[in-house]
């Protein structure tokens, strides 16, 4: 096998299957060869999930575990391609790792799965409808009831905890600031929540960044620090974006 081609992996797996069935002594070497040949594929899967708050080494280990399971479980006599079986298996293992191992507070599995799908669903519906989706629309799209939707929204806060002594960026100048010192900052946006609900049609006309910040803050229950980390800006910049955007919506609403 050369480059990224896996065209000859099935013949190798057939040799392995025959060796296992007959108890041939080379079965261990064939299994190790098959795993070694497909390691770049597992590494690629791990990289697809990197940058989401988990160590790449952990993701790599999980993806490679999925690869080993794929090789051990693959039925060469079904006539299907190995990659069509191995890729979903490895991706499934990594997704289960995120779902089961990276939550600071225990959350039911079904709620975790709904929460993972929530962000993409909000964006998809917002683009389709030209406005922020309502709770019943989100619930229908996700095929859950509104009670479960509410639990999924709240579950976002249970994904990852942070020490109060952890250092976070402050004013855009990379000034060290303990998380404890950042707590208690006035959240000027809350006074605009009622107005926000009344100006949904105007939200669709906002620039992408402003609309995304609003969605993350008020529909995904993200903190300003979490938004700042995702956008690569400071918490103070997020605060200014929120204040400016909500003020603009309020002014346009009153003008209309």
């Amino acid at each position: 096998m050369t480059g990224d081609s896996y065209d000859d992996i099935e013949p190798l797996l057939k040799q392995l299957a025959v060796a296992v069935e007959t108890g041939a002594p080379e079965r261990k070497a064939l299994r190790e060869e098959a795993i070694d040949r497909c390691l770049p594929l597992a590494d690629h899967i791990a990289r697809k999930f990197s940058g989401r708050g988990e160590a790449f080494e952990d993701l790599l280990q999980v993806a490679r575990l999925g690869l080993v399971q794929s090789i051990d479980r693959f039925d060469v006599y079904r006539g299907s391609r190995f990659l069509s079986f191995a890729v979903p298996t490895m991706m499934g293992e990594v997704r289960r790792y995120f779902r089961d191992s990276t939550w600071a507070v225990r959350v039911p599995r079904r709620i975790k799965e709904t929460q993972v799908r929530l962000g993409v669903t909000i964006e998809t519906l917002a683009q389709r409808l030209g406005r922020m989706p309502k709770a019943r629309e989100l619930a229908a799209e996700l095929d859950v009831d509104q009670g479960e939707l509410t639990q999924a929204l709240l579950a976002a806060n249970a994904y990852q905890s942070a020490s109060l002594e952890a250092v976070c960026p402050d004013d855009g100048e990379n000034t060290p600031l303990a998380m404890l010192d950042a707590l208690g900052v006035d959240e000027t946006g809350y006074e605009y929540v009622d107005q926000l609900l009344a100006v949904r049609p105007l939200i669709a006309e906002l620039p992408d960044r402003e609309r995304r910040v609003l969605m993350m803050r008020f529909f995904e229950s993200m903190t300003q620090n979490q938004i700042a980390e995702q956008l690569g800006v400071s918490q103070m910049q997020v605060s200014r974006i929120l204040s400016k955007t909500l003020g603009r919506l309020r002014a346009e609403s009153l003008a209309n």
Side-chain angles (χ1 to χ4, degrees), residues 1 4 21 49 51 68 76 91 101 105 114 127 134 141 155 162 168 193 195-196 206 208 213 215 220 228 242:
M1 184 173 59
D4 293 329
E21 291 170 357
F49 287 89
V68 173
V76 297
M91 294 185 71
S101 304
V105 179
T114 301
Q127 292 179 6
K134 299 178 181 178
E141 185 76 9
C168 60
V193 170
Q195 297 157 11
L196 175 63
L206 291 172
D208 289 342
V213 169
M215 289 173 60
E220 299 178 26
L242 283 170

Side-chain angles (χ1 to χ4, degrees), residues 170-186:
D170 179 26
D171 56 5
E173 299 179 355
N174 297 319
T175 303
L177 182 69
M179 184 72 72
L180 182 61
D181 296 329
L183 296 178
V185 175
D186 290 337

